[in-house]
Amino acid sequence: NAGVTQTPKFQVLKTGQSMTLQCAQDMNHNSMYWYRQDPGMGLRLIYYSASEGTTDKGEVPNGYNVSRLNKREFSLRLESAAPSQTSVYFCASSLGQGATEAFFGQGTRLTVV
Amino acid sequence: QKEVEQNSGPLSVPEGAIASLNCTYSDRGSQSFFWYRQYSGKSPELIMFIYSNGDKEDGRFTAQLNKASQYVSLLIRDSQPSDSATYLCAVQSRSNDYKLSFGAGTTVTVRA
């Protein structure tokens, strides 16, 4: 049972390059999240998808786009990477509305130089 | 004001002592409260959740919720070196479409 799988685990980008972070879950969850984690800042929500076909901005959406491709997959795209986007990115999923546990992927450590 | 605030830490406790972690939240309509543990270089994992006022115990962990004071805490009894980690408080509310909002985390070190 894989849970939440993120790819890649590590990435180095040059300023201005683009890339897509992939996330897939096999738990039949409705809700999916993208967070970034910076030292001393905790987890900050970038984008959120309550269900297939819907997405919503979180606390720090600027510079990012998302696609909820289907129920399983939720991708995060950086169109023109900036050094301020150097961070650890976590994808998470939960069953849906109501109080339910969120399960996290293993994270992607992104460095923009 | 951040939605979720935690005492900044770091918190250092001797082995066998009680570690006390605090969290306050701004949305009075928040309904669900979670404590996640994150080891260095790893992803967060759920250790406790609480929905109702009062205490909830699970092994060495006790979560306490006071909705009137908008306050939730986590007590770790008989702290062990394996409890050394960052503890993240998370809050969820229907008015915020059940998005999980996290605090900045409190790093706990249990010294042997």
Side-chain angles (χ1 to χ4, degrees):
Chain A
N1 188 356
V4 181
T5 302
Q6 286 181 238
T7 55
K9 292 183 181 177
F10 300 94
Q11 184 71 49
V12 178
L13 288 179
K14 292 182 178 179
T15 297
Q17 285 185 318
S18 62
M19 78 161 296
T20 300
L21 280 64
Q22 306 286 354
C23 176
Q25 52 89 10
D26 62 3
M27 296 175 283
N28 201 34
H29 284 171
N30 294 304
S31 299
M32 299 186 73
Y33 309 77
W34 276 106
Y35 291 92
R36 61 178 287 174
Q37 187 172 38
D38 303 293
M41 303 289 287
L43 289 162
R44 292 185 293 169
L45 184 64
I46 305 172
Y47 269 94
Y48 166 70
S49 173
S51 61
E52 183 180 354
T54 68
T55 61
D56 196 9
K57 293 179 180 179
E59 184 183 353
V60 287
N62 291 344
Y64 306 95
N65 285 301
V66 290
S67 296
R68 183 74 183 266
L69 304 169
N70 46 56
K71 192 171 186 178
R72 292 186 64 249
E73 298 172 287
F74 188 39
S75 62
L76 178 71
R77 182 160 178 85
L78 287 70
E79 291 291 350
S80 179
S84 60
Q85 295 177 304
T86 294
S87 188
V88 179
Y89 291 84
F90 286 101
C91 177
S93 72
S94 67
L95 189 58
Q97 289 192 348
T100 57
E101 177 182 359
F103 294 83
F104 285 81
Q106 70 271 47
T108 297
R109 186 172 295 275
L110 175 67
T111 302
V112 183
V113 298
Chain B
Q1 180 188 7
K2 277 184 64 70
E3 290 183 45
V4 183
E5 304 257 15
Q6 293 185 242
N7 47 342
S8 56
L11 181 64
S12 179
V13 298
E15 186 173 357
I18 295 174
S20 177
L21 307 173
N22 302 319
C23 174
T24 58
Y25 57 94
S26 60
D27 183 355
R28 184 169 288 279
S30 298
Q31 301 157 292
S32 310
F33 308 88
F34 305 84
W35 284 99
Y36 284 80
R37 178 177 61 200
Q38 186 177 24
Y39 292 115
S40 181
K42 302 295 185 182
S43 52
E45 56 180 350
L46 183 71
I47 53 171
M48 290 283 293
F49 62 87
I50 187 166
Y51 311 143
S52 304
N53 277 330
D55 295 359
K56 181 181 179 182
E57 189 174 313
D58 184 0
R60 296 185 296 108
F61 297 95
T62 299
Q64 299 173 315
L65 175 61
N66 183 326
K67 289 187 177 181
S69 299
Q70 295 176 240
Y71 173 93
V72 59
S73 66
L74 179 70
L75 299 177
I76 307 173
R77 292 185 303 281
D78 188 25
S79 296
Q80 301 296 310
S82 59
D83 295 326
S84 297
T86 296
Y87 290 81
L88 299 160
C89 174
V91 175
Q92 203 174 42
S93 68
R94 184 167 49 204
S95 64
N96 196 25
D97 202 23
Y98 296 103
K99 296 174 193 174
L100 264 181
S101 296
F102 284 85
T106 300
T107 298
V108 174
T109 301
V110 181
R111 53 186 194 275

